[in-house]
Amino acid sequence: MITCNDIAMAIETLAPKHLAEEWDNVGLLVGREDKMISRVLIALDMDEHIAREAVETGADMVLTHHPCMFRAVQRMTEDDPQQRAIRTLIRHDICHYAAHTNLDVATGGLNDFLAQTLGLDHTEVLEVTTPDGQGFGRWCDLPQEIPLGALIAQCKQALGLDGVKYVGDPDRLIKRVAVNSGGGADSMRYCYEKDVDCFITGDIKYTAAREAYERGLCLIDAGHYETEIIVQKFYDEFLSKHFPGIERVLSEYNRKVLQTG
C-alpha cells in the first residue's frame, strides 16, 4: 500500500521543501502521513470547491501547486471559504499536499515543464537562488530567429489560449527567450542582464510593461493561471511514473477565475 508520506517523499526528492521561499507554505498541510492513498485529486489551487470535489470523487489526497493557506489560520469555523475547505478535508480524512515555489525552482520542476511545453530546449536557469544553481525561470536561444508574432502563436497553441497580452512589434525577430511560470515579473531584471529578446510569464503590471517597452524587451503575458494549470499534467505524469497503481483524477472544479468579456 502507498501512504501519503510515500508520495510526499517522492515529490520532495525532486523538489525539497528547503527550496521554497520563506513566505511560502509547502508540504503536507492537512492530514496524516500514514494515510493510505489509492486516489489522488490533482489541481492547481486549493479552495472549498476543490475540497468538495475531493469528497465527491472519493479522493484520499489532494495534490496542488498553491497551498490552502499561506498564513496561520486563527480559527476554524464555517464563516470563511478557506476554513470551510480545511474543515471539509479534515471531516472526510483527506490529505492536502502542496509543492509551490520549491517546485518552481527545482530542476525538472514546473519551470522546466513549462519550457518543454512551449518547445524550448537546452534551457538554463534565469534567476539562480540556490548554491547548486537552481532557481526561478528558464532561458534559451532558439535554433533560429522567429518573429514575435510566430512566438505568440506558438505560445497560444501550446497552452491552449485564445489570446495573450504582449509588448513589442509582431515582426520583431526573437532569438533569446525566457519563461517564468505564474507571476514572474520580478525576474524581468535578469532578462535585461542576459539580453533576452522576449520574456513569457504572467501578471505583468503596466509599469513593468512600460519599462520593457522602453528597454526593448518583448513580453508575452500568457497569464498566471494559464502558465501554471499545466501543473495538473505535470503531477499526472509524475504520479503515473512513480506510483502507477494510484488512481489520478484531474480537477474539473479548478477554474480560471479572472475572465475577459
Side-chain angles (χ1 to χ4, degrees):
M1 295 292 291
I2 297 166
T3 67
C4 175
N5 189 58
D6 292 331
I7 296 174
M9 291 300 97
I11 294 172
E12 290 167 21
T13 298
L14 170 69
K17 289 189 289 185
H18 72 262
L19 293 180
E21 296 289 283
E22 290 185 2
W23 52 263
D24 205 0
N25 191 22
V26 301
L28 180 61
L29 304 181
V30 178
R32 300 180 288 114
E33 290 185 349
D34 62 352
K35 166 81 174 181
M36 296 298 178
I37 306 297
S38 61
R39 181 176 297 164
V40 177
L41 177 65
I42 300 171
L44 168 61
D45 303 304
M46 182 66 241
D47 58 29
E48 64 175 320
H49 305 290
I50 293 165
R52 186 170 64 250
E53 184 180 21
V55 176
E56 294 173 357
T57 58
D60 305 299
M61 181 178 188
V62 183
L63 179 57
T64 69
H65 189 45
H66 295 146
C68 61
M69 48 192 165
F70 283 103
R71 302 174 185 87
V73 178
Q74 300 295 330
R75 54 185 54 84
M76 197 62 63
T77 72
E78 290 290 314
D79 298 331
D80 174 89
Q82 181 190 56
Q83 294 171 35
R84 288 196 295 269
I86 297 170
R87 281 171 57 85
T88 296
L89 295 176
I90 294 173
R91 187 181 305 121
H92 294 274
D93 193 23
I94 299 171
C95 299
H96 170 226
Y97 187 96
H100 189 210
T101 51
N102 53 322
L103 189 65
D104 291 330
V105 166
T107 300
L110 191 58
N111 267 299
D112 282 317
F113 192 71
L114 174 61
Q116 293 165 14
T117 300
L118 295 173
L120 305 179
D121 298 318
H122 308 297
T123 58
E124 298 182 36
V125 175
L126 180 64
E127 178 186 353
V128 175
T129 59
T130 70
D132 61 354
Q134 300 183 87
F136 292 102
R138 301 292 183 265
W139 68 275
C140 72
D141 288 327
L142 301 176
Q144 59 186 22
E145 294 180 331
I146 63 171
L148 173 62
L151 184 59
I152 290 171
Q154 181 176 323
C155 183
K156 288 164 60 177
Q157 181 178 15
L159 298 178
L161 308 178
D162 294 327
V164 298
K165 296 178 182 178
Y166 69 92
V167 173
D169 183 344
D171 293 327
R172 160 89 178 270
L173 292 178
I174 304 299
K175 178 68 173 179
R176 182 163 294 179
V177 179
V179 301
N180 197 351
S181 61
D186 287 345
S187 295
M188 283 177 59
R189 63 185 183 275
Y190 299 98
C191 293
Y192 299 131
E193 292 176 4
K194 292 178 170 58
D195 294 323
V196 168
D197 298 315
C198 183
F199 183 37
I200 304 170
T201 188
D203 289 349
I204 298 174
K205 295 183 178 181
Y206 177 79
T207 53
R210 184 73 197 180
E211 180 184 0
Y213 168 76
E214 293 176 347
R215 297 181 64 166
L217 172 65
C218 295
L219 299 175
I220 299 177
D221 186 337
H224 193 131
Y225 172 91
E226 292 84 351
T227 57
E228 289 194 330
I229 191 61
I230 60 171
V231 76
Q232 288 189 314
K233 184 178 180 183
F234 175 88
Y235 279 144
D236 186 42
E237 293 181 1
F238 182 87
L239 291 179
S240 176
K241 177 181 178 181
H242 291 86
F243 305 99
I246 286 182
E247 184 175 352
R248 307 174 308 280
V249 180
L250 302 187
S251 174
E252 296 182 0
Y253 286 22
N254 204 156
R255 305 290 171 79
K256 175 185 174 181
V257 297
L258 194 60
Q259 302 287 335
T260 57

